[in-house]
Amino acid sequence: MAEAVRDEAVRDLGRPARWQADAVLTDGAPVQLRPALGTDAADLAALYSGLTEAEAAGLPAPWDDEQTSDALAKRLTDDDHRDHLVVVAILRGRLVGAAEYVRSGARPGPARVRLVVRTGYRRRGVGPLLLEHLTAAAGDLGVRHLVADLPSSNDHAQRVFQAAGFVPDDAPNDSSGTDSGSRGDGDGDGSSSSSSGGGGGGRIIRMVFSTAQAPRARGISRALEQRAEARSIARLLNPRAVAVIGAGRRPGNAGHEVFRRLLSSDFHGPVYPVNPAARQIASVYAYPDVREIPDPVDLAVIALPAAQVADAVRACAQKDVRNLIVVSAGFAEAGADGRARLAEVTRLARESGMRLIGPNAMGVINTDPAVRLHATFAAGSPPTGRVGAFTQSGALAGTFLAETARRSIGLSTFVSTGDRSDVSGNDLLQFWQSDERTEVILLHLQSFGNPRKFARIARRLGRRKPVIALKSGGSSTDPALDALFTSAGVIRVDTLGQLFDMAALLVSQPLPAGRRVGIVGTSSALAALAVDACHTAGLDVARFGPATTAALGDLLDGQDATNPVDLGAMAAPDRFEAALRTVAGSGDVDAVLVLITPHPAGDELARAVRGVAAAGRLPVVASFLGHDGIPAALAARRTDHGAASGHASAPGSASTPGRGSTPGHVSTPGHVSTPGRASTPGRGSVPSFASPESAAWAIARAADHAAWRDRDQGTVPTLDRLDLGRTMRAMDGAAMDGEWLPPGRVTGILAGVGLAVWPAERVVSESHALAAAERIGWPVALKIADERFRGRLDVGAVRLGIEGPGALAEAWRTIRAAVGPGDMLVQPMAPAGVSTVVRMTHDPAVGPLVSLRLGGAVADLLVDPLARALPLTDRDAAELVRGIRGAVMLVGTGDSGSTGATGGTAPADLAALEDVLHRLARLAERAPAVAEVLLDPVLVGRSGVVLLHAGVRLLPPGTDPESLPRRMTGSGVDFFR
């Protein structure tokens, strides 16, 4: 396994593993990026030798003199990469580009950058990716400025560097008087160009990258990332031709079922069965090997025994197949041998530039009438619609398809990923963001590969398209998961039923503008249940205004015109419709819940409900005869464009291979229903819920999501006083064993993100304590060093305001008597403030969390912290500070300016506390080996904060997920960012 050897070589040379990554080009192809090794010297020399004479003349020293293979090998293995680093791009086993920086001199200035992309691989996004990874590595190494000098006439090269976050310097220079900086070749949305250097004059533009521009650069790179990953998934879901490797003759065989479903779905292109033991499958000519198919194949579905899958992947690579689905089992779940097979398959896919779904996947569906791709072996077929669905579980995929069909919830696309060796939920979210056919997203998640990326994408996507998630394999009250989903605006559900309930509501009705609900129905008993359910869900059963009350009074013949409106079991359809329209149009409610029991004119009542809902001013939901989903009586029907009314017969004979065989059009009546053929419920349909309780719950979740959308989402602030190099130096050589670090290292780690710990001296005797107090200056605080009692005034472990030697001696004896022997701490007295506890932890499921609570002995026992996942915006931090239990102690009461006549308390410095939260979040992002930071207590005064005590723990080696490369792993865990 050559790449495993290269990974080890990278670590041996001191290059962090995080500098290696698998990324996606603008055309959707995966590419590997990593630091260059000595073994790359020959390929680099060949790359550089391809430069034109003018380009080579402009290379800054030492590049112009040391381009031989031997010289490059020596530089790559001997150089200190703080002053010289090369990052290379590997596509399908070939080195296709390189980005490099050099610093020189006794006091190195800005690093000069060169970028070269091989001819034939330009305009695919290679250049910005190389520059992005080069600048990230430079930041890790403390290189603060990078420069590249480009010809002012080469707009293309400037756009490439701008795509990676470089900005033009204010003053263009004349090349005759400059030290040339950049070298490169064009790459449309991806590579660079070169200066003409000493080749003959002309103006140049200096492009500059600094750490201050890092947030802007991240924004640019994430936009490029979204487009590339979306395009990659679009290519997978829109193949022009499909091969099924392992398509058997026997029904029930996975390959046979996938093949038959591709045929019966009327897939728009050819489908090729591959089976060396059969001449035809389902009357379609079968090829013995995928490489013998005469025409191109975009997608291969592999349904072979696990031991044969790797050979099939090799054959697909030779056939130039770009996308794979492996439905075979026997990998991650099959012990050490299975994990080894998975590692080999993912390595082969990565090296060959193929996207991979599976193994253990159920497959994919695209109901687009222009595609009609049903590449699964599940029995059901969903109607065409506007919901994108993702599940990690292959076994659960069949339930998804059956339930969406039963509830008439149409799908745009469906993906079951199984072991997630490459394609993940994050990739699908990127695709659905720009997919015009998808309006609502359903997720079933068993684990998170990269929770920070999930939160970032879901937060952006959820502003336009609701994301509904069911997480299995954990507690339904998991605060870490709540923090992640709350930060991201994800609608969390606890059951499959709730997942489909929310989908039915959000795909058919608008979001409510508030929490006021009007209830109209034909049963007082159901109405009473609905009122209780609304109150339980936090909804307001609204009081009608005078105009609404009067209008309803005329319809109810003197009955009380209150909410809920009960029209009786035998309500006349016209009165029912009039009452419903009155409530819906009153302006007194934000949503209407309709309750309909069996009725002789049930169809007329349903028609009335549809008519009111068609106005679209507010959401209308129903509990209609106990149905769930979108029953036919409440559906606003539409027929998708391109939906055919029948099957076409196969124009080619089963025994004749070649272009004439178009098995995607083979008729298989009665085998599987064809997605998209029937009209499906459109927007304006009214979802029905089996009970008033489930309806109220769904309305409440929709109202929560609407409120999240309406609020200011905030931004991740730019912080000053950052010196992450100092943080890294303080961590260098520290024990990564999960134990608390010594105070000196803690101070250095936190200082790098602008956090200062209140000074303290650890002492072992009374005389040492006196000497420390004399150095610090009176008054001082004396406390036991044991963290169990360090802040416990109530047990006598702390004495404050000690003014002299005598008082110090008495305090020493008092603490000894209270808590026994042990080292003590001497500190200068801190300003008064509200005691809080700030913490950053790495949750194994959702990643870094920043939490806050009040401090003190009582709070330690009674107050649970409030947490948020990263990224932490200014809005998140403000909500944390104001949302914790006891927040009134921070925000103040009464007159905010004093504690005078009103008896109020002045607010603490909330902005300073929020700043602490942001700096911990930045530490978690930039130093992921930090497992935990505990600031206990943080005293929040009226002006500023004091970090009285701080602790830091580092992750043991090998347990830090963010230290791993972005790659298709062999472990079934996705770090493909």
Side-chain angles (χ1 to χ4, degrees), residues 815-894:
I815 294 174
R816 278 278 183 263
V819 295
D823 293 354
M824 295 203 199
L825 298 175
V826 180
Q827 291 183 289
M829 285 297 295
V834 179
S835 177
T836 62
V837 178
V838 180
R839 190 181 186 198
M840 187 281 291
T841 56
H842 275 269
D843 183 270
V846 304
L849 297 172
V850 175
S851 65
L852 174 69
R853 66 173 176 84
L854 290 180
V858 176
D860 288 345
L861 297 174
L862 300 179
V863 178
D864 293 328
L866 191 62
R868 287 290 183 270
L870 303 190
L872 189 75
T873 68
D874 50 6
R875 179 64 185 252
D876 292 328
E879 289 184 350
L880 273 178
V881 169
R882 293 159 180 81
I884 61 172
R885 292 185 182 180
V888 66
M889 297 180 65
L890 292 168
V891 301
T893 60

Side-chain angles (χ1 to χ4, degrees), residues 309-344:
V309 170
D311 287 339
V313 173
R314 291 188 184 92
C316 288
Q318 294 172 19
K319 177 62 179 171
D320 201 28
V321 176
R322 296 302 178 92
N323 301 286
L324 299 175
I325 299 172
V326 178
V327 301
S328 311
F331 289 87
E333 81 287 3
D337 291 343
R339 289 190 293 273
R341 287 192 289 267
L342 179 59
E344 182 181 18

